[in-house]
Amino acid sequence: MPRYGLVDCNNFYASCERLFRPELKGRPVVVLSNNDGCVISRSSEAKALDIPMGAPAYQWEHVFRKQGVAVFSSNYALYGDLSNRVMSVLADMAPRVEQYSIDEAFLDLSGLPDAMALCREMRERVVRHTGIPVSIGLARTKTLAKLAAHRAKRDVACGGVFDWDAAPDQQALLRGAAVGDVWGVGRRCAARLAARGGVRTALDFTRLPGEWVRKELTIVGLQTQMELKGISCLPLVDAPAARRSVLCSRSFGELIEEKEHLREAVSDFATRAAEKLRVGGLLASAVQTFVLTPRHRTELPQHQGQAVGTLPGPTDFTPDIVHAALCGLDEAFAPGFAYQKAGVILLGLSSASGRQASLLDLPPEERERRRALMRVLDGVNRRHGRGTLRLASAAAPDRPWHMRQRRRSPRYTTCWDELPRIG
DNA sequence: TCTGGGGTCCTAGGACCC
DNA sequence: TCTGGGGTCCTAGGACCC
């Protein structure tokens, strides 16, 4: 029988923020999305105040003030670094690890004599080495392991680790889980299940006829159902799959009507996306640009535009990518709208090392010249901060529509100037 | 005034080919 | 009068995840 573990960092972003601010222990902490828009992480004290996940920050300001909630803008440099530290502890202890997200990892624990003991030790070591508390679920499928971790987190009696397979009454466990809490069952799907004969719990879901599930919820829904029944359909994926796209997009700090400003923003996004390409050793063959008006502002005229610009061939050369993205913008843009968001997606990715020579190839000396230029650009920007060297079409850093981040904590662990001071 | 960003996968439908 | 069928590839849109 396969055995999976799911390690889940508790309230990850909020926990990261609290690491460097011990005086916040016991106080409610929330972390906001980009632009300080909505709540994306809450400490247990903040959850106890009934601040929901995704709550728009402006609607909760009075609660933040009244209850002394510590509020942070998101600081991905910090979270990414702490995530790496947690993952490396796991990799040292478990035979096979699949990092599933910034704060979760699946483990393959099949065939181990005492998986439970290993998980307990792992949990202690992670908190000792990184300060981040984690919960661990164990089960014979990944989907059940997710539910088990959920349980481990909520039920303090578990001591942070819960073994689904060892539970005496697994039906009761399934009955206690809302179907919407099952991994792979989103809002839409949960609503359809409720509409169809009131399927509300995970147990109800397992009792539906498989043909109906296949037909209405596709093969994905059927897999979820089988996994809930204890039949493993989703294997551990240790080698990360090749990336299929690179996306860079932002909401603006204020709405943009001027095409010139959108050009600057899109130029920025394309530049960042090209950097990500080079970091990953990838080339893109197409660039998609999109622009959106604010969907929540129904009183404003709405427009969504997108267009794909093709590149001369697979490339990671910033000027080519920016140029194609701006061509896309010309097509996607319509005048007379106030835009709230834009983005650039790089598609048709291939590996830079395994690159096919083509008839359209540039002469080797020109290729080398471009590579050298990008190396210099990346080197300078790595050392002196992103955007130090940029194309003339890109935005100056002081534009009013740049994203708001009024409450970002220092980059304690990744930036020399922002190290914590002691004494 | 103020509601994130970055991904993946599946399906349906059309174009095209033999 | 009869008017194929199966395969592939691409795209758009939807749903899900954290």
Side-chain angles (χ1 to χ4, degrees):
Chain A
M1 182 174 77
R3 294 275 279 160
Y4 293 100
L6 177 75
V7 182
D8 193 346
C9 299
N10 298 345
N11 318 325
F12 183 54
Y13 299 167
S15 299
C16 291
E17 295 294 350
R18 197 135 70 176
L19 268 187
F20 293 91
R21 300 278 303 276
E23 75 277 14
L24 296 179
K25 198 173 165 117
R27 262 184 63 190
V29 174
V30 300
V31 176
L32 305 181
S33 62
N34 284 326
N35 266 316
D36 296 344
C38 56
V39 174
I40 54 171
S41 181
R42 306 158 295 158
S43 70
S44 54
E45 299 80 7
K47 288 177 186 170
L49 293 174
D50 290 324
I51 301 169
M53 187 69 168
Y58 73 95
Q59 287 176 0
W60 289 81
E61 283 296 344
H62 62 288
V63 176
F64 296 163
R65 267 197 306 276
K66 195 163 155 212
Q67 305 287 344
V69 178
V71 181
F72 293 92
S73 301
S74 36
N75 182 348
Y76 290 101
L78 177 65
Y79 312 149
D81 183 59
L82 287 166
S83 169
N84 289 339
R85 296 175 193 220
V86 170
M87 296 300 161
S88 82
V89 173
L90 303 183
D92 283 344
M93 297 184 72
R96 292 175 64 210
V97 179
E98 170 189 347
Q99 180 173 351
Y100 173 67
S101 72
I102 193 165
D103 71 335
E104 281 175 79
F106 285 104
L107 315 172
D108 183 358
L109 304 172
S110 308
L112 292 185
D114 195 348
M116 211 35 200
L118 178 68
C119 289
R120 291 223 167 87
E121 201 195 324
M122 208 177 277
R123 183 167 173 274
E124 274 166 33
R125 201 183 291 185
V126 170
V127 82
R128 199 164 60 236
H129 287 195
T130 69
I132 301 290
V134 300
S135 304
I136 307 183
L138 258 154
R140 59 199 187 280
T141 72
K142 285 177 151 183
T143 305
L144 290 174
K146 288 274 273 187
L147 282 181
H150 197 235
R151 173 112 196 159
K153 201 177 287 193
R154 275 183 320 178
D155 185 354
V156 283
C158 303
V161 185
F162 184 73
D163 184 351
W164 188 278
D165 298 330
D169 189 351
Q170 293 173 20
Q171 295 246 315
L173 290 176
L174 286 172
R175 198 179 302 116
V179 71
D181 288 342
V182 173
W183 186 41
V185 179
R187 255 203 357 265
R188 292 306 260 267
C189 178
R192 288 175 73 183
L193 286 167
R196 195 227 177 240
V199 170
R200 301 200 185 281
T201 69
L203 184 64
D204 296 338
F205 184 44
T206 61
R207 290 177 171 165
L208 287 177
E211 314 83 76
W212 184 88
V213 174
R214 165 71 243 251
K215 186 158 165 285
E216 298 294 322
L217 307 180
T218 80
I219 192 86
V220 181
L222 187 59
Q223 270 175 2
T224 299
Q225 194 198 29
M226 306 246 304
E227 286 243 321
L228 283 177
K229 291 183 187 174
I231 301 157
S232 176
C233 302
L234 305 169
L236 196 89
V237 185
D238 357 30
R243 275 232 248 186
R244 309 187 64 82
S245 62
V246 168
L247 184 146
C248 189
S249 73
R250 288 285 178 281
S251 295
F252 305 125
E254 54 190 57
L255 300 184
I256 296 186
E257 291 176 36
E258 306 267 325
K259 187 171 179 195
E260 197 43 46
H261 291 169
L262 279 177
R263 287 179 61 85
E264 292 181 356
V266 164
S267 182
D268 269 1
F269 301 152
T271 300
R272 293 255 200 115
E275 281 168 16
K276 289 191 203 176
L277 266 190
R278 294 192 293 273
V279 167
L282 296 166
L283 305 173
S285 52
V287 181
Q288 183 180 2
T289 304
F290 65 87
V291 290
L292 301 173
T293 50
R295 63 183 191 285
H296 299 286
R297 302 276 300 276
T298 45
E299 79 281 9
L300 294 178
Q302 300 281 316
H303 174 68
Q304 308 167 24
Q306 71 80 32
V308 176
T310 319
L311 292 160
T315 181
D316 60 5
F317 190 56
T318 296
D320 285 349
I321 289 171
V322 168
H323 179 254
L326 290 176
C327 289
L329 176 65
D330 286 337
E331 242 184 277
F333 177 82
F337 294 95
Y339 293 94
Q340 192 232 356
K341 179 173 179 171
V344 169
I345 309 175
L346 304 181
L347 301 159
L349 305 189
S350 56
S351 153
S353 54
R355 171 167 183 287
Q356 301 263 319
S358 98
L359 291 174
L360 294 171
D361 264 355
L362 296 163
E365 57 277 20
E366 171 62 10
R367 230 170 32 229
E368 186 42 47
R369 200 185 64 80
R370 291 178 165 207
R371 258 206 294 270
L373 184 55
M374 291 300 102
R375 264 202 304 275
V376 169
L377 191 79
D378 289 338
V380 168
N381 286 337
R382 211 167 25 242
R383 236 183 328 274
H384 301 286
R386 181 178 280 149
T388 305
L389 261 187
R390 58 180 189 271
L391 298 194
S393 61
D398 57 355
R399 292 296 187 213
W401 38 265
H402 269 158
M403 97 178 157
R404 284 188 298 269
Q405 272 200 316
R406 300 210 180 100
R407 316 192 241 204
R408 207 202 72 223
S409 52
R411 288 162 289 193
Y412 298 108
T413 61
T414 56
C415 190
W416 290 113
D417 297 337
E418 300 181 15
L419 288 181
R421 287 167 198 284
I422 296 168

